[in-house]
Amino acid sequence: HRGDYDFAMTPLVACLYLFGDDPARLYPETVAYLTSRLLNEKGGRPRLSVPWSLGRVAETENHVLMTESSRYLANQWHFSRSQHSREYDNRRNGLQTWLIGYLTSLRNGGLYEFNSRPYLRFSLEALLNLQAFAADRQVKELAREVLDGINWRFAIGSLDLRRNAPFRRRVSRTSETSLIADRQTAMMAVWSPGFPLATGKALVPGAPSAILAAVVPYTLPAEMMGVEQKEGFVRLGRGDAGSPEIYSRGPGYLLSAGGAGVSGGSQIVPRQITLFLDDGATDLSQC
C-alpha cells in the first residue's frame, strides 16, 4: 500500500541479517535485489513527516521507528560490504546521532503510542531489529532499554499474560473485550519460559506476530520473571496529557485501573477497572 511500505521493510531487514550471509537460505541474487531495490530507505536524513504531506503532518511513532531502523540497518549492511561512501556511514551522515537521541527520548519518556492497538507490534519489531543487528553498542543497548521498559509495563499490568490497559490508538478498537488480543501478548508468551502460545484449543490472537520475537536474541530481563506473583502497588505515569495506569496486585489477583480519557484528539482509550483472578478468564465479560 502506498505510504505503508515500511510495514514490509521491517521483516525484510530481519531476513537480510538472519540469512543474507547464508546462500543456502537466501540466494545471492535475492540479497542483491533486497539491498538494491526493496530496502529503499538509505542515507542520513530521517523522514519525520507523512509522505506527500509537504512536511505539514508529523509521522506517527511506529512509522518513524520502522522507517528509520530499516534505513539505519540498510546503511550498515552496505557500509560493512566496503561501500564506504558518506551516504552509508551512519556516523558521518548524522543518522546515528539522530537515532541515539530519538531512542534516548523513548527510554526516558516512554512511547507516545503506548499500548497501541495494533501499532505497538510494529514499534516492537523495529526495536527488536535494532537490538539484534545494530553494530554500534550504544544503539543496541538503547534499543534493549526501550524494549525492557515496554515489557516491564506489560508485566506489571498483567496476570498470566492477560491485561486490560488503556491505550493510545485506535479509538475504533474501544469495544474490544479480549484480554489476550494485544499483539504484544504473543511476543511475551514467546519470551516467558513454559507459557504456551495457545489457550485451550485456540491460538493466542496475533501469534504470527511473535515470529520475529522467536528468532532474534532478545530475552526478558531475569528479574522480570515472577513479577506477577509479587505484592505491590504501582502507578505508571504518562505525562500531564497522558493517562495513568494504576495496579494493585498480590498472589493470584490483579486490580487494574484503566486510566482516564483526556480528549478525543488524544486518541487515548481508557479501560474499565478490572479485577483479574487466577481463573483463566480471557474476555472482559468473564471478569
Side-chain angles (χ1 to χ4, degrees), residues 213-224:
V215 297
V216 294
Y218 175 82
T219 57
L220 298 177
E223 57 269 26
M224 194 183 300

Side-chain angles (χ1 to χ4, degrees), residues 216-237:
V216 294
Y218 175 82
T219 57
L220 298 177
E223 57 269 26
M224 194 183 300
M225 301 302 177
V227 69
E228 291 187 345
Q229 297 304 315
K230 295 180 180 180
E231 295 185 1
F233 174 86
V234 178
R235 181 174 63 189
L236 301 177

Side-chain angles (χ1 to χ4, degrees), residues 155-156 158-160 162 226-234 247-256 275-278:
I156 289 169
S158 63
L159 182 64
D160 295 332
R162 301 167 296 146
V227 69
E228 291 187 345
Q229 297 304 315
K230 295 180 180 180
E231 295 185 1
F233 174 86
V234 178
Y247 302 104
S248 179
R249 69 180 319 128
Y253 80 90
L254 167 69
L255 186 61
S256 168
L275 176 62
F276 291 84
L277 298 174
D278 190 12

Side-chain angles (χ1 to χ4, degrees), residues 37-49:
R37 295 294 301 276
L38 298 183
L39 298 180
N40 58 7
E41 297 285 0
K42 300 168 186 174
R45 184 177 179 181
R47 178 166 52 77
L48 304 180
S49 59

